[in-house]
């Protein structure tokens, strides 16, 4: 039912949960589960849910978002202090926290075209005929995704300082540090409880801290905290798109940002503080050639498509059409018209055609804007084996991997020979040979509404086929990448967007005669670096919380294996994590005191950061032997 509900601002959910009595808080999770089973009926800007034959709860959502607690009304006898209002807010999708403040004026300071209009005009003048586009791109730009580094990693104008404090660009203010501490504590409480124990009350506390962080000028911490809540909700509801690794990364991001911010000074402060918007700057005229399109389905409730293009100099640009929605919107995104100038191209067509753009505006990550001064018309495209596209595949694979690990775009352009399916714990993946290196090609999304999984299975059925593919790097000790697009297996001049187009068995060629080569894995990489032992405990904490690790403290085998492999630091971090989980102090009467959430969160963060860092180094090493096909 949550897909039928309007999104609710984080501050509204936090306010309604905080107003509940302790007795009602204990019943909140059960109330959320019951409301999810009730049908919702949309009546204009309102959504009505029948609690029983005589009682309804109504959500007033002008513009699709509930922005105040008074907009949720319940007809029961206990209203407005009833459980139902807090339960329905906790069951609804989380709204973009900036949307509530911007509802009256879509051309606020957070709009990406404000202050960066190509000819010096304001965003209101430049975008007067395209308000819906600026709104969509601004909302998506605020959300970190799994496709590229978030805009929050880049410098941005400092927010106004709280009353009574100076605006200091070289050090965090007291407001920054208080907000960061609140987010850290709320996130640590979620981590200690795990997804199994992080119910609606803990989620609301983290949403309250996220809202306070945004008001204090910490958009990165705020957005990351909302991503954690979305991940926890997906885990607790059995969402098909939930991934434990994604939630682990989101938790590490929140804790890492809020841990670093009080110690950051000068230019170092820009990263942890983040930016609420991505500036778009003029880039003149561009001649672009379509590469591929991929669906977007984020944990923050946004969906759509992104089409990647390349210019004559080999630089990558992307065109996004992302808005609030689910898998259905992502699956149908290929047929949506690209909102740029006068072009009538859809995303699916642009991925195979070209575009001539004048007055282009471009973000630091290469995303093209759609301002009122931008003009674009259709132009011929280029095959992947023709220039300028072919130059992307000419770059050595090892250099592509190093560039992806250093924070630039994480796309890999590979020439591979398909080998076949390989069964793993998380499901089947496609094994391919890339210049003598075995690469595991996985799906970018597991949602059944997207054809990634079906297309991967069909490609695995034609071993020996040589293809030129586009994939996204997955940092791991063994070469791994998420497959996004490929040459058509039956026609090298055509290409397939594997997340939007659906292959048929008739498209497949006959398997190549003779034995299929099976390259050997790099000797000793996995055995000499058993980081999965530490990673497993890090992820177990996310699922089961502190208690799971406290019960597993007696297992000394993992630490011994890590030390035997020369990973003494990993073993020490594992021991520290178990110790932080198990230690419980007692008061003067011998009663157990609450667990030290701060110590456990810091021990967990150290283990997570170490694992990511070492895995990135091993990832770069594993790809080094990949040769460039002649």
């Amino acid at each position: 039912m949550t897909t039928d509900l309007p999104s609710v601002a984080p501050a509204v959910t936090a306010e309604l949960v905080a107003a509940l009595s302790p007795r009602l808080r204990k019943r909140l999770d059960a109330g959320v589960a019951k409301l999810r089973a009730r049908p919702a009926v949309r009546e204009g800007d309102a959504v009505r849910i029948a609690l029983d034959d005589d009682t309804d709860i109504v959500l007033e959502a002008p513009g699709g978002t509930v922005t105040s607690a008074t907009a949720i009304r319940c007809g029961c006898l206990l209203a407005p202090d009833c459980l139902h209002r807090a339960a329905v807010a906790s069951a609804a999708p989380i709204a973009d926290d900036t949307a509530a403040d911007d509802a009256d004026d879509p051309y606020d300071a957070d709009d990406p075209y404000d202050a960066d209009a190509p000819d010096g005009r304001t965003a209101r003048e430049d975008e007067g005929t395209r308000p819906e586009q600026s709104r969509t791109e601004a909302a998506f730009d605020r959300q970190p995704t799994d496709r590229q580094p978030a805009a929050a990693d880049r410098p941005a104008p400092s927010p106004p300082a709280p009353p009574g404090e100076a605006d200091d660009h070289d050090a965090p203010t007291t407001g920054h540090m208080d907000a960061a501490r609140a987010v850290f504590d709320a996130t640590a409480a979620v981590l200690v409880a795990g997804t199994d124990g992080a119910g609606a009350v803990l989620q609301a506390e983290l949403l309250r801290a996220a809202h306070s962080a945004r008001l204090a000028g910490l958009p990165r911490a705020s957005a990351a905290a909302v991503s954690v809540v979305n991940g926890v909700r997906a885990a607790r509801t059995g969402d098909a798109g939930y991934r434990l690794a994604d939630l682990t990364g989101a938790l590490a991001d929140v804790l890492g940002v809020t841990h670093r911010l009080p110690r950051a000074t000068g230019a170092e402060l820009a990263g942890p503080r983040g930016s609420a918007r991505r500036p778009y700057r003029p880039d003149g005229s561009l001649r672009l050639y379509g590469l591929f399109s991929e669906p977007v389905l984020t944990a923050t409730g946004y969906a759509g498509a992104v089409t990647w293009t390349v210019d004559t100099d080999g630089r990558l640009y992307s065109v996004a059409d992302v808005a609030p929605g689910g898998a259905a919107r992502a699956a149908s995104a290929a047929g949506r018209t690209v909102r740029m100038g006068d072009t009538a191209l859809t995303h699916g067509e642009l991925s195979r055609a070209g575009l001539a753009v004048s007055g282009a505006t471009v973000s630091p990550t290469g995303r093209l804007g759609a301002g009122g001064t931008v003009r674009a018309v259709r132009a011929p495209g280029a095959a992947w084996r023709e220039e300028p596209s072919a130059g992307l595949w000419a770059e050595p694979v090892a250099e592509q991997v190093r560039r992806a690990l250093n924070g630039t775009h994480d796309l890999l352009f590979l020439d591979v020979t398909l080998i076949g399916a390989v069964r793993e714990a998380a499901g089947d993946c496609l094994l391919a040979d890339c210049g003598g290196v075995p690469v595991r090609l996985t799906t970018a999304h597991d949602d059944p509404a997207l054809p990634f999984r079906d297309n991967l299975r069909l490609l695995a059925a034609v071993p020996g086929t040589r293809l030129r593919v586009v994939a996204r790097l997955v940092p791991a000790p063994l070469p791994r990448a998420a497959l996004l697009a490929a040459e058509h297996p039956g026609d090298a001049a055509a290409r397939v967007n594997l997340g939007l187009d659906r292959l048929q068995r008739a498209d497949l060629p006959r398997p190549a005669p003779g034995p299929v080569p099976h390259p050997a894995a790099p000797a000793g990489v996995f055995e000499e670096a058993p980081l999965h032992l530490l990673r497993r405990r890090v992820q177990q904490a996310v699922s089961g919380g502190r208690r799971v690790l406290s019960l597993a403290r007696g297992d000394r085998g993992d630490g011994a294996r890590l030390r035997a492999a020369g990973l003494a630091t990993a073993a020490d971090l594992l021991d520290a994590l178990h110790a932080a989980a198990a230690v419980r102090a007692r008061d003067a009467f011998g009663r157990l005191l609450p667990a030290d959430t701060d110590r456990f969160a810091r021990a967990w963060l150290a283990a997570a950061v170490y694992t990511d860092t070492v895995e990135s180094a091993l990832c770069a090493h594993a790809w080094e032997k990949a040769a460039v096909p002649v």
Side-chain angles (χ1 to χ4, degrees):
M1 185 205 71
T2 54
T3 56
D4 300 324
L5 290 176
S7 56
V8 177
V12 173
T13 303
E15 177 184 348
L16 293 174
V17 174
L20 294 177
S21 65
R23 180 180 63 85
L24 291 179
R25 287 191 179 193
K26 295 179 181 179
R27 299 169 52 191
L28 180 57
D29 289 328
V32 172
K34 290 181 180 179
L35 273 171
R36 284 200 175 102
R38 306 295 298 177
V41 178
R42 187 171 294 274
E43 302 172 351
D45 288 336
V47 174
R48 183 180 303 275
I49 303 171
L51 301 176
D52 53 40
D53 294 339
D54 302 318
T55 307
D56 293 341
I57 185 168
V58 179
L59 294 86
E60 296 288 346
T65 301
V66 177
T67 58
S68 66
T70 56
I72 301 179
R73 305 191 308 274
C74 182
C76 73
L77 296 177
L78 297 178
D81 299 323
C82 62
L83 178 70
H84 304 125
R85 298 172 70 223
V88 74
S90 300
I94 303 172
D96 177 13
D97 205 10
T98 58
D101 295 339
D102 303 342
D104 295 333
D105 184 5
Y107 306 103
D108 69 327
D110 285 336
D111 189 273
Y113 303 103
D114 190 25
D116 292 314
D119 54 3
R121 292 179 294 172
T122 65
R124 186 182 301 276
E125 296 168 335
D126 192 43
E127 291 292 306
T129 61
R130 304 292 294 271
E132 72 284 353
Q133 174 65 6
S134 63
R135 163 67 57 194
T136 298
E137 291 194 0
F140 178 61
D141 283 349
R142 296 184 189 110
Q143 303 298 325
T145 72
D146 59 356
R147 297 177 300 102
Q148 58 190 12
D153 292 330
R154 296 171 177 82
S158 298
E165 295 185 0
D167 185 11
D168 189 355
H169 293 266
D170 298 325
T173 65
T174 302
H176 287 154
M177 291 188 288
D178 290 344
R181 183 73 237 184
V183 173
F184 186 94
D185 290 343
T187 306
V190 170
L191 177 63
V192 167
T195 56
D196 295 338
V201 174
L202 287 180
Q203 295 170 29
E205 290 298 324
L206 184 52
L207 289 178
R208 176 185 294 277
H211 178 68
S212 299
R214 185 186 67 81
L215 294 180
L218 301 178
R220 180 176 178 183
S222 176
V226 172
S227 296
V228 169
V229 177
N230 278 313
V232 170
R233 289 184 178 181
R236 292 175 63 86
T237 57
D239 192 323
Y242 167 70
R243 288 185 177 181
L244 178 58
D246 293 342
L247 179 55
T248 302
L251 282 164
D253 187 28
V254 178
L255 294 174
V257 166
T258 52
H259 173 74
R260 296 200 320 267
L261 187 135
R263 300 165 181 80
T265 57
E268 298 176 353
L269 183 59
R273 186 170 55 191
S275 171
R277 67 183 180 98
R278 178 182 287 114
Y280 282 65
R281 301 188 182 281
D283 201 22
S285 298
L286 297 172
R287 177 65 170 89
L288 303 176
Y289 300 84
L291 287 172
F292 72 100
S293 293
E294 62 171 317
V296 174
L297 189 59
T298 73
T300 50
Y302 286 81
V306 170
T307 299
W308 291 85
T309 63
V310 61
D311 70 356
T312 54
D313 296 326
R315 294 178 298 179
L316 294 180
Y317 295 85
S318 62
V319 182
D321 179 3
V322 181
R329 190 181 195 280
S332 62
R336 295 181 181 274
T337 303
V338 175
R339 296 180 180 179
M340 183 178 297
D342 300 324
T343 180
L345 283 170
T346 65
H347 281 271
E349 293 171 339
L350 177 57
S351 68
R352 299 170 174 87
L355 206 62
V357 185
S358 63
T361 56
V362 184
S363 78
T365 57
R367 184 171 301 156
L368 292 168
T373 61
V374 178
R375 297 291 180 266
V377 296
R378 181 171 185 157
W384 280 0
R385 296 185 182 271
E386 301 174 356
E387 294 296 341
S389 301
L392 299 171
W393 278 266
E395 182 183 5
V397 176
E399 292 184 10
Q400 295 187 48
V401 172
R402 282 193 292 270
R403 176 249 305 146
L405 292 173
N406 289 335
T408 320
H409 73 81
D410 53 0
L411 297 179
L412 301 180
F413 301 89
L414 310 174
D415 286 286
V416 301
T417 300
L418 304 183
I419 296 175
V422 174
R423 186 171 298 279
E424 295 183 330
D428 293 347
C429 67
L430 176 60
L431 185 65
D433 173 41
C434 179
V437 172
V439 179
R440 286 166 170 80
L441 299 175
T442 64
T443 58
H445 288 283
D446 288 329
D447 196 292
L450 302 176
F452 276 118
R453 180 66 63 185
D454 294 337
N455 288 335
L456 197 73
R457 288 171 180 162
L458 287 176
L459 291 177
V462 286
T465 303
R466 300 193 64 179
L467 292 177
R468 182 161 279 190
V469 303
V470 182
R472 173 162 290 110
L473 178 67
V474 178
L478 295 177
R480 181 180 294 270
L483 195 56
L484 300 174
E487 288 178 333
H488 194 286
D491 182 6
R495 67 197 72 164
V496 181
N497 300 314
L498 296 174
L500 297 171
D501 305 326
R502 193 173 291 275
L503 287 170
Q504 304 296 329
R505 289 198 175 274
D507 297 325
L508 303 180
R510 292 185 178 182
V516 178
H518 287 264
V525 170
F526 191 77
E527 292 77 4
E528 293 180 5
L531 281 177
H532 65 284
L533 300 175
L534 181 59
R535 170 66 73 185
R536 179 178 62 185
R537 297 305 184 191
V538 168
Q539 293 185 345
Q540 278 182 342
V542 175
S543 294
R546 177 197 62 81
R547 183 171 298 180
V548 170
L549 294 188
S550 67
L551 297 176
R553 189 187 181 191
D555 183 6
R556 301 290 184 179
D558 289 351
R561 286 186 60 186
L562 289 169
R563 288 188 173 88
L567 298 175
T569 302
D572 291 342
L573 290 172
L574 181 60
D575 292 342
L577 183 59
H578 281 307
V583 171
R584 292 288 299 275
R586 296 180 180 271
D587 62 14
F589 298 99
R591 296 172 297 192
L592 280 174
L593 295 174
D596 189 346
T597 59
D598 186 84
R599 177 184 174 183
F600 179 74
R602 293 178 189 277
W604 182 89
L605 177 61
V609 171
Y610 172 87
T611 306
D612 288 339
T613 303
V614 176
E615 283 186 347
S616 295
L618 290 174
C619 176
H621 175 73
W623 286 88
E624 281 182 357
K625 296 183 180 180
V628 178
V630 179

